[in-house]
Amino acid sequence: MGAYISLGLTYCACASASSLCNACFGSTAPGTTGRKRSALLLSAAVALALFFQYSLAPSIVNKTGWWKVYSSIPGMGKRVYAAWLDGCDGYADTPDLLRQCVQNTGVYRPTAVAALFFSVMAIASGTRPSLNREAWRAKYGTYFLLVLASIFLYNGPLFDGIFLFVARIGAMAFIIIQQVILIDMAYNWNESWVEKADECDRLDWGSGKSWLRLIVASCVALYGCAFAGIGLLYHFFSGCPENNAVITLTLIGIVAVTAVQLSGTEGSLLTSAVLSTYAVYLAYSTVSKNPSAVCNPQLGNSDPWGIAIGLGLTAISLAWTGFSWTAEGRLNREGVQTTRSVSPNGPQRQDADGLNLDTPFIDPETAPTTGHVVEGSDDLDTSVSGRELWKLNVVLALISCWIACMLTGWGSIQGVVGEDDEEHHTVANPTVSRVNMAMVGVSQWCALILYAWTLVAPRLFPDRDFS
């Protein structure tokens, strides 16, 4: 009886949560795409991942807090405990490693469900784009119920086997997509301040210099952070050939892409500064995964700065994907709207022979309409924007993979072994950590090379449009 009551309350809670989430972002009428609701759902996945990692998982390991709630339900306490410790039994003698193993599996559950959800939505919206804006109450309810069900599933092979492998590949892809997001935001940032400077100059010549100074100051600040980061990496992580190689190659890459950008008219210095700072963050992510305690002073310790920066990048990605209008243009070949010309001659008389130059000018009030009319398409199933909407869900699925890897150190398990003076920092799966180093390093250079190509391609092929 208690189990039925619990399931009933759970359903009511999930339905209430889905209704609340569905009401957050306005209408789902024709003309909308559902991007904001998608971003909200992934934000909920991030919140659940953090809750599972830092609250629920420690409670299960220590049998305190939330564990008491589950253990009070007949038959569920043992099931949850056995499911979450599945695959972590080998660390039973080392509490620190056991706790981190269980925390990692807690992160995999909501992120795996989110990745699956957006993958299914990508297929569905590719077949019928209007599905992306419809039935969001049912979608939220389905997601929360699947997350609830995942609590009772064993870790292997679904979470710490299949999903972890897929998440690493997806996170690599997202690192490159993250560069596109940062470039787009940097360009918009630069263009916005240049436009403000021009507007000020039109009103009062010379008053726009303050906006241009802000652009220069932002570039100086970002490059200052980048080179300060390089210095800190040399100070704390040097001494090992692999770390020295990563840091030095990052410095060379930053100088190279900046030199290429300054040598032409493509791009902007602000964009190069943003990408340089991002490259230093990826370098830090690479060396901080080194499984050698000699090369990695953070081994076995929590990484609050890395998690904070990773969550910040996640927030930027969600904001860009869900709320930026430029994301529509990046994800689609064309925008939602199209334009058509309107003239007195009509569409059938657009040639020069159709014009009567002897006709005198007429009163502007009675003149026929001329110019361009913006036409919007409410039918997502037939519009170009709708047919390309599946890309939005692919990006969100990759963000789900990135969150799983970022919060768990790409699946590595490391901690402190021993007690008092004999304790030492170790990695339980060093091979995994070295593979993670290589994956992040390759992603970093793919991002730098891609940005360099956007600067060089217009010079090599001036007749092609790279806008």
Side-chain angles (χ1 to χ4, degrees):
M1 185 66 181
Y4 289 112
I5 295 176
S6 175
L7 289 175
L9 293 175
T10 300
Y11 173 79
C12 292
C14 291
S16 301
S18 65
S19 298
L20 179 62
C21 293
N22 186 54
C24 284
F25 287 125
S27 173
T28 57
T32 61
T33 60
R35 289 194 305 150
K36 294 179 181 179
R37 285 174 170 78
S38 299
L40 178 63
L41 190 145
L42 189 53
S43 300
V46 175
L48 285 173
L50 291 171
F51 171 72
F52 282 12
Q53 183 177 26
Y54 294 107
S55 181
L56 184 55
S59 298
I60 292 175
V61 174
N62 301 323
K63 297 184 178 181
T64 59
W66 289 97
W67 166 257
K68 294 182 179 179
V69 177
Y70 284 104
S71 61
S72 64
I73 303 174
M76 289 192 177
K78 293 182 179 179
R79 172 73 183 192
V80 171
Y81 186 83
W84 282 57
L85 268 70
D86 178 41
C88 299
D89 303 336
Y91 311 118
D93 297 333
T94 52
D96 199 34
L97 297 182
L98 176 64
R99 176 183 53 80
Q100 187 173 128
C101 179
V102 177
Q103 284 181 311
N104 287 0
T105 61
V107 172
Y108 299 150
R109 283 169 164 78
T111 52
V113 173
L116 176 63
F117 175 86
F118 289 116
S119 297
V120 172
M121 285 303 303
I123 298 173
S125 58
T127 305
R128 183 186 166 194
S130 59
L131 288 174
N132 201 71
R133 70 162 182 250
E134 298 172 351
W136 273 102
R137 181 178 299 179
K139 292 175 185 176
Y140 282 122
T142 301
Y143 173 76
F144 290 128
L145 286 173
L146 287 176
V147 172
L148 178 66
S150 71
I151 295 177
F152 303 97
L153 297 179
Y154 284 85
N155 296 328
L158 181 60
F159 296 119
D160 58 6
I162 298 173
F163 174 68
L164 182 56
F165 175 80
V166 173
R168 288 170 180 153
I169 303 299
M172 274 189 67
F174 175 72
I175 287 176
I176 300 174
I177 294 176
Q178 177 79 66
Q179 181 228 22
V180 177
I181 295 174
L182 293 176
I183 287 177
D184 183 66
M185 297 186 69
Y187 275 127
N188 291 339
W189 179 9
N190 186 78
E191 291 173 2
S192 174
W193 283 9
V194 169
E195 288 177 1
K196 291 181 183 297
D198 292 340
E199 291 175 2
C200 291
D201 283 338
R202 281 193 293 268
L203 297 175
D204 182 13
W205 179 254
S207 61
K209 291 182 179 179
S210 58
W211 289 104
L212 300 179
R213 292 193 184 101
L214 282 175
I215 294 176
V216 175
S218 299
C219 294
V220 172
L222 288 170
Y223 272 114
C225 292
F227 288 113
I230 291 290
L232 291 173
L233 291 178
Y234 273 122
H235 178 74
F236 290 105
F237 292 92
S238 63
C240 296
E242 57 268 34
N243 284 7
N244 291 339
V246 169
I247 301 170
T248 303
L249 288 174
T250 301
L251 178 60
I252 293 173
I254 290 174
V255 174
V257 295
T258 303
V260 171
Q261 186 269 315
L262 291 175
S263 64
T265 58
E266 299 81 8
S268 67
L269 188 61
L270 186 58
T271 307
S272 299
V274 170
L275 262 295
S276 298
T277 308
Y278 181 56
V280 173
Y281 164 71
L282 293 179
Y284 166 75
S285 298
T286 303
V287 297
S288 64
K289 291 169 177 55
N290 196 317
S292 172
V294 177
C295 306
N296 185 2
Q298 292 187 345
L299 188 66
N301 296 327
S302 60
D303 184 15
W305 285 106
I307 293 176
I309 295 173
L311 290 175
L313 290 173
T314 302
I316 291 173
S317 303
L318 288 175
W320 181 87
T321 305
F323 300 91
S324 172
W325 283 110
T326 54
E328 194 82 36
R330 293 289 183 263
L331 295 173
N332 303 330
R333 288 194 299 268
E334 299 179 17
V336 177
Q337 297 174 325
T338 57
T339 60
R340 63 180 176 88
S341 176
V342 177
S343 69
N345 301 317
Q348 74 278 9
R349 298 179 60 188
Q350 295 296 327
D351 57 333
D353 295 337
L355 297 175
N356 186 357
L357 299 179
D358 294 330
T359 302
F361 290 107
I362 60 179
D363 191 307
E365 294 182 0
T366 61
T369 303
T370 62
H372 290 83
V373 174
V374 177
E375 297 179 330
S377 174
D378 289 340
D379 190 358
L380 281 180
D381 294 336
T382 59
S383 66
V384 174
S385 174
R387 291 196 301 271
E388 301 294 323
L389 195 57
W390 62 271
K391 296 179 183 178
L392 164 71
N393 293 291
V394 171
V395 172
L396 292 174
L398 295 178
I399 295 177
S400 303
C401 295
W402 157 259
I403 295 168
C405 290
M406 182 267 299
L407 291 178
T408 63
W410 291 63
S412 62
I413 300 173
Q414 50 185 269
V416 180
V417 177
E419 298 180 357
D420 300 331
D421 296 337
E422 297 181 358
E423 68 179 20
H424 62 279
H425 299 265
T426 185
V427 176
N429 47 358
T431 303
V432 170
S433 296
R434 293 194 181 278
V435 172
N436 294 339
M437 284 185 67
M439 295 176 73
V440 179
V442 170
S443 302
Q444 178 203 45
W445 271 94
C446 286
L448 288 172
I449 291 172
L450 181 59
Y451 177 58
W453 171 250
T454 63
L455 300 174
V456 174
R459 307 180 200 179
L460 299 178
F461 306 99
D463 296 334
R464 297 184 60 182
D465 182 16
F466 290 93
S467 59

